[in-house]
Amino acid sequence: MTTKYFTKSELATLPKLYETEDIEPEDKLVHVKLFHPASNWTWYVIEYDGRDMCWGFVKGLDAEFGYFSLRELAEITGPFGLHVERDKWFRPCKVADIPRW
């Protein structure tokens, strides 16, 4: 499951859940961007538990920090059978550098 969204090197360097607690929200590093191509939903991965759960910045109906399950994201099927994808052109950046809208 996880290799669908993360490279081996990312798996080795992604912070575990709660590891970035002492960093200001805007200064946290986003490692991976996931999105659904048929919607406005985007998930920016900041922390990962090594199995399924991520914590990061989520843009959908609103923009907020929160937890999300990779398993649940993988189960989403949109129009034309589209699924959540990894943005392979995304480069890690601080939350402050993510366009809000």
Side-chain angles (χ1 to χ4, degrees):
M1 158 60 66
T2 57
T3 57
K4 175 178 180 176
Y5 296 123
F6 305 135
T7 65
K8 287 181 182 180
S9 63
E10 287 166 344
L11 287 172
T13 60
L14 268 167
K16 300 290 184 211
L17 292 183
Y18 312 110
E19 273 188 27
T20 67
E21 275 187 324
D22 296 332
I23 300 172
E24 292 295 321
E26 296 293 318
D27 292 331
K28 292 181 188 284
L29 184 64
V30 175
H31 297 269
V32 176
K33 175 184 173 186
L34 306 174
F35 69 99
H36 193 282
S39 76
N40 65 333
W41 283 84
T42 306
W43 299 265
Y44 296 92
V45 179
I46 296 171
E47 299 174 349
Y48 174 57
D49 74 356
R51 295 180 307 275
D52 177 53
M53 292 303 296
C54 293
W55 184 84
F57 189 67
V58 181
K59 288 173 51 178
L61 300 176
D62 203 355
E64 61 188 353
F65 289 95
Y67 293 92
F68 48 94
S69 162
L70 294 178
R71 185 182 71 253
E72 289 178 9
L73 293 183
E75 293 174 358
I76 297 171
T77 303
F80 309 108
L82 295 172
H83 298 279
V84 171
E85 300 178 17
R86 175 198 170 108
D87 182 346
K88 63 182 178 182
W89 304 111
F90 178 78
R91 297 291 170 248
C93 67
K94 290 183 177 183
V95 171
D97 298 326
I98 296 171
R100 295 299 171 132
W101 309 109

